[in-house]
Amino acid sequence: MEDERWKIELINEVFKNEKKAIETLKQQYEENSIKKFYKYREGNEQDIKNLYNDVLYASIGSKFNDPFEFHATIATKESFEKFFTEKFGKELYEETIDILSEKNVINKNCSIDKLIEELSSKKVSEKDDFYSLCLSSRKDSILMWSHYSKNHEGFCIEYDSRQLAKKIALPVIYEEIPENLFNQDNISLLFRKYKDWKYENEWRIIEKRKGRADESIPINMPKPSAIYLGCKVDSKLKCELLLYCREKNVQCYEAKINNKSYELNFKKIIL
């Protein structure tokens, strides 16, 4: 968890002082050598349309491929009492329960265990109160090319991190055990995942849903700094992407399998 500490500090700093968020992010990008962000794409018709329109789509949490999104451990009675006492002042615990009941946050007649379970379910359901656009800080993940770029037949879009700082792209924290439910606010839970996902080097741009019915929304993106073709890129898609790169003056590379190791190399295409 030690190597994740800077991420926790960055997320806390950005939301503590949003006026200095862009300045803080640019500094952290430089200190941690985060120069580019990437989005892996299958290469379907909608992907090409979005590429020309400079948009990507952010989705609500329940549409993600990880069922543990917005996951946290269920609190103990002790941490439950501590959380609500701090949140609502130093009133007696019974008075706190009355306040929550009046606000329709909980059912007063529940047992403590049932109460915690009810609040946990309510908290987890709030993952759909936000839209998340997921990016990566690496372009050479063999697994991500397989999972998100149609088994290496698709492509990957590169963006300059300095331009994305304006969108407040923040890193995902990878952990062994979920944090205590009542130690985390909603924003923090949006940036936490199980350690098995660490290979993705994920960063997220978050936007509040604000009652909108749409399960996904377009996010305006800067012009790509490069396009990477998969090592098994479809010939028709390759022609479409080469045309795009020529028209938009964007650099283009093609992935090649390294014959000596389990790595992808990228060869620049002369347009």
Side-chain angles (χ1 to χ4, degrees), residues 13-29:
E13 182 65 27
V14 165
F15 287 103
K16 185 173 67 176
N17 191 342
E18 294 187 31
K19 291 183 178 179
K20 292 186 177 180
I22 295 175
E23 179 184 332
T24 300
L25 284 169
K26 286 183 176 179
Q27 181 180 344
Q28 284 296 323
Y29 292 166

Side-chain angles (χ1 to χ4, degrees), residues 42 145 149-155 230-234 237:
E42 289 187 1
W145 275 103
S149 290
K150 200 179 177 182
N151 301 321
H152 297 255
E153 294 177 13
F155 67 103
C231 63
K232 294 164 49 181
V233 65
D234 175 80
L237 175 61

Side-chain angles (χ1 to χ4, degrees), residues 24-269:
T24 300
L25 284 169
K26 286 183 176 179
Q27 181 180 344
Q28 284 296 323
Y29 292 166
E30 185 174 342
E31 289 180 6
N32 292 281
S33 300
I34 308 297
K35 297 181 179 180
K36 306 290 183 181
F37 288 118
Y38 302 91
K39 185 65 174 178
Y40 292 81
R41 302 281 74 189
E42 289 187 1
N44 56 43
E45 186 177 334
Q46 187 62 52
D47 288 335
I48 299 300
K49 182 179 179 180
N50 293 343
L51 181 63
Y52 271 95
N53 291 334
D54 288 325
V55 298
L56 290 174
Y57 276 77
S59 302
I60 57 175
S62 60
K63 295 299 178 182
F64 286 6
N65 60 357
D66 180 7
F68 290 92
E69 290 287 346
F70 218 73
H71 189 56
T73 56
I74 295 178
T76 62
K77 179 182 176 181
E78 289 72 24
S79 62
F80 172 83
E81 293 180 1
K82 181 175 182 291
F83 170 80
F84 283 108
T85 300
E86 291 177 353
K87 191 173 183 65
F88 293 95
K90 294 184 177 181
E91 295 89 350
L92 294 174
Y93 181 61
E94 289 74 16
E95 290 182 21
T96 303
I97 296 299
D98 288 337
I99 293 171
L100 294 174
S101 179
E102 289 172 9
K103 292 178 178 289
N104 294 320
V105 175
I106 60 171
N107 181 345
K108 185 177 180 180
N109 296 322
C110 288
S111 66
I112 292 298
D113 290 340
K114 183 67 176 176
L115 205 78
I116 293 173
E117 183 180 341
E118 184 178 322
L119 283 162
S120 300
S121 297
K122 184 177 179 64
K123 185 94 170 176
V124 171
S125 70
E126 291 172 354
K127 64 184 174 184
D128 284 348
D129 290 346
F130 301 86
Y131 295 107
S132 300
L133 170 60
C134 306
L135 303 166
S136 175
S137 58
R138 60 181 302 196
K139 63 178 182 290
D140 58 351
S141 169
I142 295 172
L143 284 177
M144 293 184 75
W145 275 103
S146 297
H147 296 162
Y148 304 118
S149 290
K150 200 179 177 182
N151 301 321
H152 297 255
E153 294 177 13
F155 67 103
C156 183
I157 311 171
E158 177 186 273
Y159 297 101
D160 189 308
S161 65
R162 291 169 297 180
Q163 293 180 314
L164 273 186
K166 299 173 185 177
K167 301 287 185 182
I168 317 296
L170 290 167
V172 166
I173 300 159
Y174 301 100
E175 55 195 3
E176 177 76 34
I177 300 172
E179 286 291 321
N180 187 307
L181 176 66
F182 298 118
N183 288 342
Q184 299 300 318
D185 56 29
N186 290 352
I187 292 294
S188 177
L189 288 175
L190 289 168
F191 296 98
R192 291 180 178 272
K193 287 178 73 72
Y194 182 49
K195 65 180 180 62
D196 279 6
W197 294 90
K198 191 170 184 176
Y199 72 91
E200 289 194 347
N201 286 30
E202 187 178 345
W203 292 66
R204 291 182 173 180
I205 296 171
I206 303 296
E207 185 170 325
K208 290 183 178 179
R209 195 172 185 183
K210 297 179 181 177
R212 285 175 282 190
D214 302 296
E215 294 182 340
S216 63
I217 58 168
I219 302 291
N220 293 323
M221 301 295 286
K223 175 183 173 182
S225 51
I227 297 293
Y228 295 83
L229 312 181
C231 63
K232 294 164 49 181
V233 65
D234 175 80
S235 58
K236 181 178 180 293
L237 175 61
K238 182 175 181 178
C239 290
E240 290 180 309
L241 291 171
L242 288 175
L243 177 61
Y244 167 84
C245 290
R246 290 191 188 102
E247 289 180 359
K248 303 294 184 179
N249 193 29
V250 173
Q251 292 186 342
C252 189
Y253 299 81
E254 186 168 1
K256 300 291 183 182
I257 294 175
N258 188 314
N259 292 325
K260 297 181 179 180
S261 64
Y262 290 108
E263 292 180 296
L264 290 172
N265 300 131
F266 297 93
K267 182 180 179 181
K268 186 173 183 179
I269 297 175

